Amino acid sequence: MLFVLFVCLVVIPEALFLTPKSYEVTLLSLTWAENSWPYDFKNIRLIGREHLVNGTFTILEDLNDENCVFSTEIYHDPARDGNFKLMPFSMPAMGVCTFFNDYGYYFTDSIKKENTDLFINKTDCVFPKGTHFLKNIAISTDNWPPILARGNIRHVASIFKNGVLSGTYNITSSIDDRVLKF
Ligand SMILES: *[C@@H]1O[C@H](CO)[C@@H](O)[C@H](O)[C@H]1NC(C)=O
Ligand SMILES: *[C@@H]1O[C@H](CO)[C@@H](O)[C@H](O)[C@H]1NC(C)=O
Ligand SMILES: *[C@@H]1O[C@H](CO)[C@@H](O)[C@H](O)[C@H]1NC(C)=O
């Protein structure tokens, strides 16, 4: 479910596209409403200067498109002063497996076999119940479209279990110009 962790970063609406310029994404925080289903991220940390995603997380129940659908709203804080404004677009509701199949390639650069023991079968998708590790994951945006407004971005994912709102997860990240490293 790493994927839902980042789910939203992916959904970068066309309307945010500005001049093509290279950028990088740094995670700032991952928060959730109390008793959120279906992920338990309390043992995930953002470590080091690069805020690598590290630790273990638990999927509380086997997930597929039938029982787990999420929608995402996007907020932008261009001044980075905590004043997040809801952007006038959102990601349509979709099942976890549909998301994985349609957007998973955005993460293939970031998440490799050595970074997690979570395996999702594309032809027979289930996010399996259980605890998995994530090891030192940085977000690689190499496959991503040339975006976007700089500043802090917050994706708020609302997760529906059999149609009932059962969890809310906020992923806040910073979008910066890429610093060339020599
Ligand atoms: C998620 O973000 C929204 C919008 O900024 C905020 O109103 C809400 O309190 C946040 N919830 C959590 C659990 O961080
Ligand atoms: C990273 O997570 C693993 C568990 O997946 C843990 O054993 C390790 O101590 C963590 N590293 C840091 C620096 O927190
Ligand atoms: C993925 O699921 C299909 C259909 O159930 C199965 O035939 C295949 O062996 C699975 N692949 C892996 C790598 O588990």
Side-chain angles (χ1 to χ4, degrees):
M1 194 341 282
L2 183 32
F3 294 97
V4 168
L5 202 158
F6 296 136
V7 157
C8 309
L9 290 173
V10 170
V11 186
I12 289 156
E14 303 280 336
L16 276 178
F17 287 24
L18 299 174
T19 49
K21 211 171 163 195
S22 112
Y23 62 96
E24 56 191 18
V25 174
T26 308
L27 289 175
L28 297 179
S29 68
L30 170 61
T31 60
W32 50 87
E34 237 181 293
N35 299 319
S36 281
W37 176 95
Y39 306 112
D40 178 349
F41 288 126
K42 70 175 180 298
N43 293 320
I44 289 290
R45 300 283 175 272
L46 304 179
I47 61 175
R49 207 165 48 90
E50 291 176 273
H51 293 189
L52 303 177
V53 178
N54 192 71
T56 60
F57 71 99
T58 299
I59 304 176
L60 302 171
E61 192 172 319
D62 283 351
L63 305 177
N64 56 37
D65 277 358
E66 309 304 311
N67 65 356
C68 184
V69 168
F70 66 92
S71 65
T72 305
E73 286 181 328
I74 302 171
Y75 293 77
H76 187 213
D77 170 15
R80 303 178 196 274
D81 62 359
N83 189 14
F84 283 89
K85 291 261 169 36
L86 181 61
M87 305 300 284
F89 30 68
S90 60
M91 188 179 148
M94 66 176 92
V96 281
C97 289
T98 300
F99 176 79
F100 178 72
N101 286 322
D102 293 356
Y103 296 94
Y105 66 91
Y106 281 117
F107 302 111
T108 54
D109 275 356
S110 306
I111 301 158
K112 306 213 178 334
K113 275 210 181 74
E114 61 267 26
N115 299 122
T116 185
D117 58 345
L118 177 61
F119 169 77
I120 311 291
N121 186 333
K122 275 209 162 191
T123 50
D124 191 13
C125 170
V126 173
F127 282 75
K129 175 178 171 169
T131 297
H132 301 278
F133 73 86
L134 300 175
K135 202 171 160 198
N136 297 340
I137 292 170
I139 298 178
S140 164
T141 56
D142 293 352
N143 283 339
W144 294 18
I147 352 175
L148 99 145
R150 301 308 192 254
N152 291 345
I153 298 277
R154 177 173 291 164
H155 292 80
V156 177
S158 300
I159 307 203
F160 298 85
K161 176 183 185 177
N162 302 320
V164 178
L165 178 62
S166 300
T168 305
Y169 297 86
N170 287 9
I171 301 162
T172 306
S173 48
S174 174
I175 314 284
D176 302 277
D177 291 334
R178 189 187 294 270
V179 178
L180 293 173
K181 291 171 186 134
F182 296 98

